[in-house]
Amino acid sequence: MGRKSKINKCILNLFVGLLILYGVEILGFMFSAGISYFISSKPLAIILNSTFYILVASFCVLLYAKKIRLPLFNNKIRLVTWAVFVILFPIVWTFISFLIVNGKGHWEAGWENKSQLIDNLLIIFFDKGLGAGIVEELIFRGLMMYSIEAVSNRKRAVFISSIIFTLLHIAAFRDTSILFLLDLTATFSISLFISVMVYRSGTLIVGMLSHAVINVVNCCFHMENIGNMPTIYRYVSIENNEVYVSIINTIVIIVSCISVILIGSKNKICNINYSQS
C-alpha cells in the first residue's frame, strides 16, 4: 500500500472515530428519551443509558478496527504494575494540589439529599468514569493514535491525537483567557500522559483505567469552581483564587507527564504491531 493511500485511510479512520463518538451520543439521547417512558427509576435509567453508550460505541469501534485490521489490544502487557500507578496518580495529584494551596472547602449542599447523592454517584462512576474512560480511549488512543502511527511514528501519533483530544474538549474550558489557557494546557498534558502510559504498558486498558480514575476523582473532589458538574467536595482556594489553583494543577500534571516519559524511556516499550489492508 502506497503512502498516499495510507494517509487517506488514516484520515478516514479519524473521521469514523468522530462519527462514532458523536453519533452514539445522539443515539444515547434518543435511547434516554425512549426509556424514560417505561422506567421511572432514575438510578436505573442512568445505568442503562451509560451501558447503552459504552456497548454501542465500543462495538462500533472494535468492529471497524477489525475490518481494517487494526488490533487495539496486545497480549504482551504489564497491566498490574501500571494499573496501580494510574490509580494512584490522580489521587496523589489531587491531594498534592490541595496541600500546596492550603485552602479550604465545603461539602456540596446538593448532596444532602440521599436520592441526589445516589444519582450523582452513578453519573460520576458510569458516565464520567466508565463511559468517558472506555469509549474515548478506544477512539482517541486506539483508533486515532494507532492509525496516525501507521503513517508516521509514535511521537507524532501521541502529539497529534492529543491535539485532537484537547480541541474536542474546548467546550468544557472556562471563558476567561488565563483560565482557558490553563485548561488547554492541563487537558493536553493529561492526554500526553495517558498516551505515553498506553505505549509503555502496551495496552489500552491502562489508558481506560487512568482516564476513568482521573474523571471520577475530579468529579468527587475538585480543586475549583466547575459549575454544575456534580461534586462531593468543593475546593475553594485562599481568596477563591481560581488562577492560582489552576496553575498548581497544571504544573503537577506537566511534571507528572515528564516523569513518566523519563522513567519509561529507561524501560523497553511494549510493541503494538498491526497492519492496515
Side-chain angles (χ1 to χ4, degrees), residues 26-260:
I26 294 174
L27 288 177
F29 292 140
M30 296 171 61
F31 178 79
S32 177
I35 65 171
S36 63
Y37 288 103
F38 304 100
I39 298 177
S40 57
S41 171
K42 189 173 180 181
L44 180 58
I46 293 171
I47 295 174
L48 289 176
N49 287 336
S50 298
T51 302
F52 173 84
Y53 174 70
I54 293 171
L55 291 179
V56 174
S58 299
F59 175 78
C60 291
V61 173
L62 294 174
L63 184 65
Y64 181 75
K66 182 178 180 180
K67 181 178 177 61
I68 63 173
R69 297 181 183 179
L70 179 67
L72 301 183
F73 296 95
N74 189 353
N75 293 326
K76 297 179 180 180
I77 60 176
R78 299 188 290 268
L79 179 58
V80 176
T81 301
W82 285 92
V84 174
F85 181 75
V86 299
I87 290 174
L88 291 178
F89 164 70
I91 298 175
V92 172
W93 158 35
T94 296
F95 286 99
I96 284 178
S97 300
F98 176 80
L99 292 173
I100 291 176
V101 178
N102 190 29
K104 58 182 180 179
H106 62 273
W107 294 99
E108 289 287 85
W111 290 74
E112 293 175 357
N113 183 284
K114 184 178 179 180
S115 62
Q116 186 180 24
L117 172 64
I118 294 174
D119 291 345
N120 285 345
L121 284 175
L122 289 174
I123 290 173
I124 288 174
F125 181 77
F126 285 99
D127 184 24
K128 307 297 182 183
L130 292 180
I134 294 174
V135 175
E136 291 188 12
E137 289 308 304
L138 278 174
I139 293 174
F140 290 106
R141 240 65 61 183
L143 195 57
M144 292 187 181
M145 187 171 73
Y146 291 171
S147 295
I148 296 170
E149 182 192 354
V151 299
S152 183
N153 55 56
R154 286 188 172 182
K155 192 172 293 185
R156 289 181 181 175
V158 167
F159 276 94
I160 294 175
S161 61
S162 293
I163 289 172
I164 296 173
F165 179 86
T166 304
L167 291 177
L168 293 179
H169 283 78
I170 281 182
F173 297 170
R174 289 159 294 178
D175 51 3
T176 59
S177 298
I178 182 64
L179 292 177
F180 180 90
L181 291 176
L182 289 170
D183 287 342
L184 187 91
T185 304
T187 303
F188 183 71
S189 299
I190 289 175
S191 184
L192 289 179
F193 175 82
I194 295 176
S195 298
V196 170
M197 284 197 297
V198 168
Y199 275 133
R200 297 300 179 191
S201 64
T203 176
L204 282 175
I205 296 175
V206 164
M208 293 175 180
L209 183 59
S210 178
H211 196 148
V213 173
I214 288 172
N215 281 8
V216 169
V217 169
N218 275 281
C219 285
C220 288
F221 186 95
H222 208 280
M223 294 314 118
E224 54 208 51
N225 185 2
I226 50 177
N228 296 321
M229 182 175 286
T231 62
I232 292 178
Y233 189 82
R234 176 86 67 185
Y235 181 83
V236 183
S237 63
I238 298 174
E239 298 179 356
N240 199 27
N241 191 336
E242 279 189 321
V243 175
Y244 180 63
V245 181
S246 296
I247 290 174
I248 294 297
N249 284 336
T250 303
I251 291 174
V252 172
I253 294 169
I254 294 175
V255 170
S256 300
C257 291
I258 295 173
S259 300
V260 170

